[in-house]
Amino acid sequence: MKKMSLAAAAVAGLVTALPAAAQFQKPGDAIEYRQSAFTLIASHFGRVAAMAQGKAPFDAKVAAENIAIVSTLAKLPLTAFGPGTDKGHGTEAKAAVWSDAAGFKAAADKYVAAVEKLDAAGKTGDFAQIKAAVGETGGSCKGCHDKFKEK
Amino acid sequence: MKKMSLAAAAVAGLVTALPAAAQFQKPGDAIEYRQSAFTLIASHFGRVAAMAQGKAPFDAKVAAENIAIVSTLAKLPLTAFGPGTDKGHGTEAKAAVWSDAAGFKAAADKYVAAVEKLDAAGKTGDFAQIKAAVGETGGSCKGCHDKFKEK
């Protein structure tokens, strides 16, 4: 019984600790997942960015709601760039995502840090802070796309 | 000045109160958005369902994390079935979504209520409660798909 328990624990630990690539049955599923996450992030970030750019009226509550969704979703696509997920579904990810893994991680970390600031700004409801954080977040998106995403 | 303020308030109110179809520039954007949301919901719900079905080891923490994501996302796709979003991008939504709007709303309400129960079950960490709520949520997905989604 002890052996079985250890084995079960090992399997459970593996499932929990493994990068989320293990959560996808096929590489194409991971690609579709990360694209879906980015689509939602772009949509909700875009609604806040429109306010920051004066293209939509600023509403602190709506901004906060959209930022909260961005914040919840921000890290999800990063779990779906595991080894082997460069094909199996149409993708605009450049090979550099895997060949320059350190560079990709640095760009991703910058984006995650920017979204954390955006999240904090959203909670203040202050337009100037949200605007600044939108600029930094947008810059982190662009910085990563320039290097790691096909145009 | 008072007139301008009122006008600004009216515009802000409109943006806030309008169905989220107004959040999308083109019908195809709404279709892509709702499909993306459903892809993420299915992925994270699937991870919990696998535990409920004994296909993956049960981990209350991981289950709760995934349920929290499902819960955050659950209503988002429902904001993207506005009038005119039956085309503009490949879609499996049947015409009944719009021709039987009351039926679609009833099916959607059932799903939202099931996810609320799932959310509560996730917070208990209790396997039996999660399993029951997964069953009800999965049933609500199928109930809607049977009537409103192409096979």
Side-chain angles (χ1 to χ4, degrees):
Chain A
M1 276 305 280
K2 198 179 175 196
K3 250 189 193 166
M4 279 185 64
S5 300
L6 284 175
V11 170
L14 195 70
V15 170
T16 312
L18 268 185
Q23 305 278 11
F24 303 104
Q25 295 199 331
K26 300 188 298 284
D29 293 346
I31 297 173
E32 205 179 350
Y33 174 93
R34 71 195 185 213
Q35 290 174 344
S36 295
F38 281 132
T39 294
L40 294 191
I41 290 165
S43 176
H44 290 280
F45 178 69
R47 297 176 202 187
V48 184
M51 293 183 199
Q53 294 160 356
K55 293 176 188 167
F58 176 64
D59 181 313
K61 187 171 170 285
V62 175
E65 285 169 0
N66 282 291
I67 289 171
I69 294 171
V70 171
S71 190
T72 300
L73 298 175
K75 291 180 186 170
L76 298 183
L78 305 176
T79 66
F81 283 96
T85 63
D86 56 334
K87 49 181 176 290
H89 188 282
T91 175
E92 291 170 307
K94 285 187 186 171
V97 167
W98 298 274
S99 63
D100 179 17
F104 183 63
K105 186 181 183 309
D109 286 350
K110 210 168 170 178
Y111 149 76
V112 169
V115 173
E116 278 168 11
K117 281 191 203 172
L118 180 64
D119 190 53
K123 283 168 184 159
T124 69
D126 179 67
F127 180 73
Q129 288 190 48
I130 291 172
K131 186 176 175 173
V134 161
E136 187 174 335
T137 304
S140 77
C141 296
K142 187 179 182 309
C144 194
H145 291 175
D146 284 349
K147 283 189 189 173
F148 299 104
K149 183 172 181 272
E150 297 291 350
K151 298 227 165 99
Chain B
M1 275 305 282
K2 199 179 171 197
K3 248 189 192 168
M4 278 186 64
S5 299
L6 284 174
V11 170
L14 194 71
V15 170
T16 311
L18 269 182
Q23 305 279 9
F24 303 104
Q25 295 199 329
K26 299 187 299 283
D29 293 347
I31 297 173
E32 205 179 348
Y33 174 93
R34 71 195 186 211
Q35 290 174 344
S36 295
F38 282 131
T39 294
L40 294 192
I41 291 166
S43 177
H44 289 280
F45 177 70
R47 296 175 201 187
V48 185
M51 293 183 199
Q53 294 160 356
K55 294 177 187 167
F58 177 64
D59 182 313
K61 187 171 170 286
V62 176
E65 286 168 359
N66 282 292
I67 289 171
I69 294 171
V70 170
S71 190
T72 300
L73 298 175
K75 291 180 188 171
L76 298 184
L78 304 177
T79 66
F81 283 96
T85 64
D86 56 333
K87 50 181 175 288
H89 189 284
T91 176
E92 291 170 307
K94 286 187 186 170
V97 168
W98 298 275
S99 63
D100 179 17
F104 183 64
K105 186 181 181 309
D109 286 350
K110 209 169 171 179
Y111 148 77
V112 169
V115 172
E116 277 168 11
K117 281 192 202 171
L118 180 64
D119 190 53
K123 283 169 184 159
T124 68
D126 179 67
F127 180 74
Q129 289 189 48
I130 291 172
K131 186 175 174 174
V134 161
E136 186 175 335
T137 304
S140 77
C141 297
K142 189 180 180 306
C144 194
H145 291 176
D146 285 349
K147 283 190 189 173
F148 298 103
K149 184 171 181 271
E150 298 290 351
K151 297 233 164 93

